[in-house]
Amino acid sequence: MCLFVVDGTWSSEFNSNDNGKDAAGKAVGTSKEDVRTNSRRFFEECLYPSSKKFYFTGPAYGVSGDDSYGIYFDVIRTIEREINRGNCEEIYMVGWSRGATIISEITETLSLLAGTNSRGNPTKIGRTMHIRPIENVLNRPMPPVRFVGLFDSVAMITRRSPVDSHWGEDVTAIVEYCAHVTAGIRWSDSWIYYYKRDPNIQAQRTELKHMTYADHWGVGGEATQWDAREAYQFIRNHAYLAGCP
């Protein structure tokens, strides 16, 4: 079993600076305070050994999220490596904000790697294959994707970003169990426009929670806050039901 966690935008600033490096060698935290995001908390509290769980900080380019592509590459290559090593018999994935967007996109790629695209969308298939050739990269069968947990995925809430509006909108049927918790209140910045919709989740089991009075930070941000604790328990409980210790 393997866990892959991708944090939200600027997450390096929202996690304590004593957390070392992530799976791609980037600094996990810069905050001098003892804080952590829900994604980081999930990673730390998961009972898998360190060789079975992998954490990635979120994008550093806050407005555009353009470095999401680089993080996507880091995650999918890590998944491929661990599958080929025989270290990953089952896959669990969790993300917040743009990290959740990246996780959703990876379900598309894993569907292609497994040779099963449930959506049959040629535009999405072509774009994914264009940004990364994915043929013949596995020397072992694709393991089952047991669980995907999303903390307020940005791809489902914003119209403006050229990154967020073009990828990560779906969770494919390769996923057995998906849980998604969304915020009800957005940031007050007048230049960002939001719309309410859930991703096209085709997982075999789906659980959704809409936190009407929580904002985006409250869902995935500082884990000690009340809203964040509620969101965390929702994702953690469903992950546990899906088999994640």
Side-chain angles (χ1 to χ4, degrees):
M1 289 73 74
C2 285
L3 170 68
F4 302 90
V5 177
V6 186
D7 221 329
T9 305
W10 294 318
S11 56
S12 62
E13 300 179 15
F14 300 148
N15 287 299
S16 302
N17 61 6
D18 58 354
N19 283 323
K21 304 293 184 179
D22 71 0
K26 300 175 184 176
V28 169
T30 58
S31 172
K32 295 181 179 180
E33 300 178 11
D34 184 17
V35 295
R36 58 178 174 171
T37 62
N38 270 342
S39 296
R40 182 66 191 183
R41 178 185 176 188
F42 192 104
F43 171 80
E44 292 176 352
E45 295 186 358
C46 173
L47 297 180
Y48 287 147
S50 59
S51 62
K52 294 280 191 177
K53 58 182 183 180
F54 306 87
Y55 172 87
F56 299 83
T57 58
Y61 302 155
V63 176
S64 68
D66 286 342
D67 52 337
S68 297
Y69 290 101
I71 299 169
Y72 162 85
F73 292 144
D74 289 337
V75 178
I76 197 64
R77 288 166 182 161
T78 302
I79 292 175
E80 293 168 356
R81 182 193 70 207
E82 296 306 314
I83 292 174
N84 287 335
R85 287 177 175 176
N87 188 43
C88 194
E89 299 85 6
E90 298 176 335
I91 294 174
Y92 295 81
M93 298 188 291
V94 171
W96 172 43
S97 191
R98 282 197 177 102
T101 295
I102 293 167
I103 292 296
S104 299
E105 183 69 16
I106 286 172
T107 71
E108 282 283 340
T109 304
L110 295 183
S111 292
L112 293 170
L113 288 172
T116 58
N117 186 285
S118 60
R119 293 180 64 238
N121 186 326
T123 301
K124 194 61 169 290
I125 296 172
R127 185 185 57 72
T128 302
M129 294 182 71
H130 174 71
I131 64 174
R132 179 160 186 351
I134 60 170
E135 296 175 337
N136 302 317
V137 294
L138 294 182
N139 56 33
R140 295 173 181 267
M142 170 63 64
V145 183
R146 299 294 189 198
F147 179 77
V148 163
L150 307 176
F151 291 100
D152 209 31
S153 178
V154 168
M156 322 329 172
I157 63 175
T158 182
R159 293 183 185 276
R160 279 296 182 89
S161 169
V163 171
D164 303 330
S165 61
H166 289 94
W167 70 323
E169 305 93 344
D170 310 291
V171 174
T172 59
I174 195 172
V175 178
E176 295 182 1
Y177 198 142
C178 178
H180 185 208
V181 56
T182 60
I185 303 172
R186 303 304 173 195
W187 297 296
S188 60
D189 306 74
S190 60
W191 57 271
I192 297 180
Y193 299 95
Y194 295 99
Y195 62 98
K196 177 186 175 182
R197 74 178 179 91
D198 291 312
N200 179 21
I201 298 178
Q202 298 184 3
Q204 298 169 37
R205 175 176 176 179
T206 301
E207 300 291 341
L208 303 175
K209 180 180 181 66
H210 183 60
M211 297 181 62
T212 307
Y213 299 105
D215 60 17
H216 183 69
W217 169 254
V219 167
E222 191 171 350
T224 58
Q225 299 302 311
W226 178 262
D227 289 338
R229 292 202 304 268
E230 180 180 345
Y232 180 83
Q233 282 306 128
F234 176 79
I235 296 295
R236 194 66 189 86
N237 289 344
H238 286 295
Y240 178 79
L241 292 175
C244 185

